[in-house]
Amino acid sequence: MSYPEPRYLGENGEINAVFRPADTPPDIVSPGGTTTHYLASHASTGGEFGLYKVDMGPKAPGAKTHFHRGISESFYVLSGEVELYNGERWVTGRQGDFLYVPVGGLHAFKNDSDDPLSMLMLFSPGAPREEYFERVADFAQRGGEELRAFQVRHDSFFVEG
């Protein structure tokens, strides 16, 4: 195992860090009390990764069973409880719990509890998930082939059951 080839070839480093204060308002407020904070978007990381803080209200449905062909997805529970499907069974994630889903891995998540939850979601490499988060509710209402094409364009392949 070795480090990746250098991509920065300068001698003195650069001032290019990005700070996001904790009190920054969410980027998306969805129906059902779910908010999404773009901590590190596709654009801000140059596609290296995407990191999002997701706050879900009580009994929020989340995402049904699906997989991704080109990205991995990870979940880290900050507070509350989230039901996570690991491809084999549902497990309850609590504060400090982590689930890594490799490329192609079946997974799903939902908040079945009466309390809110907060978690980090990490995608690698950093696909442009922002459009997916912003428009999935609209496409879900349309349903059918439009929804399916939208999901495929965003590397989300849902399975029955």
Side-chain angles (χ1 to χ4, degrees), residues 6-137:
R7 294 183 294 156
Y8 175 74
L9 302 175
E11 294 297 321
N12 299 312
E14 295 182 13
I15 299 171
N16 59 5
V18 178
F19 177 74
R20 188 177 192 280
D23 62 356
T24 303
D27 295 279
I28 301 174
V29 178
S30 303
T34 296
T35 62
T36 305
H37 301 259
Y38 297 170
L39 302 180
S41 67
H42 169 265
S44 70
T45 68
E48 289 186 35
F49 67 94
L51 180 64
Y52 308 89
K53 180 175 175 264
V54 178
D55 299 317
M56 297 175 72
K59 304 293 185 189
K64 293 185 179 186
T65 304
H66 64 286
F67 65 93
H68 307 289
R69 295 181 188 274
I71 55 177
S72 66
E73 186 170 356
S74 298
F75 302 86
Y76 181 81
V77 183
L78 297 169
S79 64
E81 292 185 356
V82 61
E83 296 302 310
L84 298 163
Y85 183 65
N86 67 10
E88 183 177 42
R89 63 186 175 90
W90 287 95
V91 296
T92 301
R94 295 179 180 88
Q95 183 176 346
D97 288 342
F98 176 77
L99 176 69
Y100 168 65
V101 183
V103 174
L106 292 169
H107 62 287
F109 63 91
K110 60 187 174 181
N111 182 1
D112 272 349
S113 79
D114 293 324
D115 297 311
L117 79 92
S118 184
M119 66 181 171
L120 296 176
M121 294 173 59
L122 174 73
F123 296 90
S124 180
R129 295 301 284 173
E130 299 80 29
E131 182 191 19
Y132 184 82
F133 295 142
E134 292 164 8
R135 302 190 64 204
V136 68

Side-chain angles (χ1 to χ4, degrees), residues 130-151:
E130 299 80 29
E131 182 191 19
Y132 184 82
F133 295 142
E134 292 164 8
R135 302 190 64 204
V136 68
D138 180 47
F139 275 89
Q141 287 181 344
R142 297 180 199 179
E145 192 50 43
E146 265 190 285
L147 172 60
R148 206 166 355 275
F150 176 79
Q151 291 168 332

